[in-house]
Coordinates of all heavy atoms in Angstrom, one line a residue:
Chain B
M1 N 22.5 60.3 41.3 CA 22.9 59.0 41.3 C 23.9 58.8 40.2 O 23.7 59.2 39.1 CB 21.6 58.1 41.0 CG 21.6 56.8 41.7 SD 20.0 56.1 41.5 CE 20.4 54.4 41.9
E2 N 24.9 58.1 40.6 CA 26.0 57.8 39.7 C 25.6 56.8 38.6 O 24.9 55.9 38.9 CB 27.3 57.4 40.5 CG 28.6 57.3 39.7 CD 29.5 56.1 40.1 OE1 29.2 55.7 41.2 OE2 30.3 55.8 39.4
L3 N 26.2 57.0 37.4 CA 25.7 56.1 36.3 C 26.0 54.6 36.6 O 25.1 53.7 36.3 CB 26.5 56.5 35.0 CG 25.9 56.0 33.7 CD1 24.4 56.5 33.6 CD2 26.8 56.3 32.5
K4 N 27.1 54.2 37.2 CA 27.4 52.8 37.5 C 26.4 52.4 38.5 O 25.9 51.2 38.4 CB 28.8 52.7 38.1 CG 29.9 52.7 37.0 CD 31.0 51.8 37.4 CE 31.9 51.2 36.2 NZ 32.3 52.3 35.4
A5 N 26.0 53.2 39.6 CA 25.1 52.8 40.5 C 23.6 52.5 39.9 O 23.0 51.6 40.2 CB 24.9 53.8 41.6
I6 N 23.4 53.4 38.8 CA 22.1 53.2 38.2 C 22.0 51.9 37.5 O 21.0 51.2 37.6 CB 21.9 54.4 37.2 CG1 21.7 55.7 37.9 CG2 20.7 54.2 36.2 CD1 21.7 56.9 37.1
Q7 N 23.2 51.6 36.8 CA 23.2 50.4 36.0 C 23.0 49.2 37.0 O 22.2 48.2 36.7 CB 24.6 50.2 35.4 CG 24.7 51.0 34.1 CD 26.2 51.1 33.7 OE1 27.1 50.3 34.2 NE2 26.5 52.0 32.8
G8 N 23.6 49.2 38.1 CA 23.3 48.1 39.2 C 22.0 48.0 39.6 O 21.4 47.0 39.7
A9 N 21.4 49.2 39.9 CA 20.0 49.3 40.3 C 19.1 48.7 39.2 O 18.2 47.9 39.5 CB 19.6 50.7 40.7
I10 N 19.3 49.1 38.0 CA 18.5 48.6 36.9 C 18.6 47.0 36.8 O 17.6 46.4 36.7 CB 18.9 49.1 35.5 CG1 18.6 50.7 35.6 CG2 18.2 48.6 34.4 CD1 19.1 51.4 34.3
E11 N 19.9 46.6 37.0 CA 20.1 45.1 36.8 C 19.2 44.4 38.0 O 18.6 43.3 37.7 CB 21.5 44.8 36.9 CG 21.9 43.3 36.7 CD 23.4 43.1 36.8 OE1 24.1 43.6 37.6 OE2 23.9 42.2 36.0
S12 N 19.4 44.9 39.1 CA 18.6 44.3 40.3 C 17.0 44.3 40.1 O 16.4 43.3 40.3 CB 19.0 45.1 41.5 OG 20.2 45.1 41.9
I13 N 16.7 45.5 39.6 CA 15.2 45.6 39.3 C 14.7 44.4 38.3 O 13.8 43.8 38.4 CB 14.8 47.0 38.9 CG1 14.9 48.0 40.0 CG2 13.4 47.1 38.3 CD1 14.8 49.4 39.6
L14 N 15.6 44.5 37.1 CA 15.1 43.6 36.1 C 15.1 42.2 36.5 O 14.4 41.3 36.1 CB 16.0 43.8 34.8 CG 15.9 45.1 34.2 CD1 16.7 45.2 32.9 CD2 14.3 45.4 33.6
F15 N 16.2 41.9 37.4 CA 16.3 40.5 37.8 C 15.1 40.2 38.7 O 14.5 39.0 38.4 CB 17.6 40.4 38.7 CG 17.7 39.1 39.5 CD1 18.1 38.0 38.8 CD2 17.4 39.0 40.8 CE1 18.1 36.8 39.4 CE2 17.4 37.8 41.4 CZ 17.9 36.6 40.8
V16 N 14.7 40.9 39.6 CA 13.5 40.5 40.4 C 12.2 40.6 39.7 O 11.3 39.8 39.9 CB 13.4 41.3 41.7 CG1 14.5 41.1 42.8 CG2 13.2 42.8 41.4
A17 N 12.1 41.5 38.7 CA 10.9 41.7 37.9 C 10.5 40.4 37.3 O 9.3 40.0 37.3 CB 11.0 42.8 36.9
G18 N 11.4 39.7 36.6 CA 11.1 38.5 36.0 C 10.1 38.7 34.8 O 9.5 37.7 34.3
E19 N 9.8 39.9 34.4 CA 9.0 40.2 33.2 C 9.6 41.6 32.7 O 10.4 42.1 33.2 CB 7.7 40.2 33.6 CG 7.3 41.2 34.7 CD 5.8 41.0 35.4 OE1 5.2 40.1 34.9 OE2 5.5 41.7 36.3
A20 N 9.0 41.9 31.6 CA 9.4 43.1 30.9 C 9.0 44.3 31.8 O 7.9 44.3 32.3 CB 8.8 43.2 29.5
V21 N 9.9 45.2 31.9 CA 9.7 46.5 32.8 C 9.7 47.6 31.9 O 10.6 47.8 31.1 CB 10.7 46.5 33.9 CG1 10.4 47.7 34.8 CG2 10.7 45.2 34.8
T22 N 8.8 48.5 32.1 CA 8.7 49.7 31.2 C 9.9 50.8 31.7 O 10.2 50.8 32.8 CB 7.4 50.5 31.2 OG1 7.2 50.9 32.5 CG2 6.2 49.5 30.8
E23 N 10.3 51.4 30.6 CA 11.3 52.5 30.9 C 10.8 53.5 32.0 O 11.5 53.9 32.9 CB 11.7 53.3 29.7 CG 12.5 52.4 28.8 CD 12.6 53.0 27.4 OE1 12.1 54.0 27.1 OE2 13.2 52.3 26.5
D24 N 9.6 53.8 31.9 CA 8.8 54.8 32.8 C 9.0 54.3 34.2 O 9.2 54.9 35.0 CB 7.3 54.8 32.4 CG 6.8 56.2 32.6 OD1 7.6 57.1 32.2 OD2 5.6 56.4 32.9
E25 N 8.7 52.9 34.4 CA 8.6 52.4 35.8 C 10.0 52.6 36.4 O 10.2 52.7 37.6 CB 8.3 50.9 35.6 CG 7.0 50.5 36.4 CD 6.7 49.0 36.0 OE1 6.6 48.6 34.8 OE2 6.5 48.3 37.0
I26 N 11.0 52.3 35.6 CA 12.4 52.2 36.1 C 12.8 53.7 36.4 O 13.4 54.0 37.5 CB 13.5 51.8 35.1 CG1 13.2 50.3 34.6 CG2 14.9 51.8 35.7 CD1 14.0 49.8 33.4
C27 N 12.5 54.6 35.6 CA 12.9 56.0 35.9 C 12.1 56.5 37.1 O 12.8 57.1 37.9 CB 12.2 56.9 34.7 SG 13.3 56.9 33.2
K28 N 10.8 56.1 37.4 CA 10.1 56.6 38.4 C 10.7 55.9 39.7 O 10.9 56.6 40.8 CB 8.7 56.1 38.4 CG 7.7 57.2 37.7 CD 6.3 57.0 38.0 CE 5.5 57.8 37.0 NZ 4.6 57.0 36.2
T29 N 11.1 54.7 39.7 CA 11.6 54.0 40.8 C 13.0 54.6 41.1 O 13.2 54.8 42.4 CB 11.8 52.4 40.4 OG1 10.7 51.9 40.0 CG2 12.2 51.7 41.7
L30 N 13.9 54.8 40.3 CA 15.2 55.3 40.5 C 15.3 56.9 40.6 O 16.3 57.4 40.9 CB 16.1 54.8 39.5 CG 16.3 53.3 39.3 CD1 17.4 52.9 38.3 CD2 16.6 52.6 40.7
E31 N 14.1 57.5 40.3 CA 14.0 59.0 40.2 C 15.2 59.5 39.3 O 15.9 60.4 39.7 CB 14.2 59.5 41.6 CG 12.9 59.3 42.5 CD 13.0 59.7 43.9 OE1 14.2 59.8 44.4 OE2 11.9 59.7 44.5
I32 N 15.2 59.0 38.1 CA 16.2 59.5 37.2 C 15.3 59.9 35.9 O 14.2 59.4 35.7 CB 17.3 58.5 36.7 CG1 16.6 57.1 36.2 CG2 18.0 58.2 38.0 CD1 17.5 56.2 35.8

Side-chain angles (χ1 to χ4, degrees):
Chain B
M1 213 170 165
E2 192 215 340
L3 196 61
K4 278 219 161 47
I6 292 173
Q7 287 168 10
I10 293 172
E11 188 177 37
S12 296
I13 289 170
L14 293 181
F15 173 76
V16 293
E19 58 194 357
V21 181
T22 64
E23 287 166 6
D24 220 37
E25 241 175 311
I26 305 174
C27 282
K28 275 201 193 116
T29 310
L30 301 182
E31 291 172 341
I32 55 171

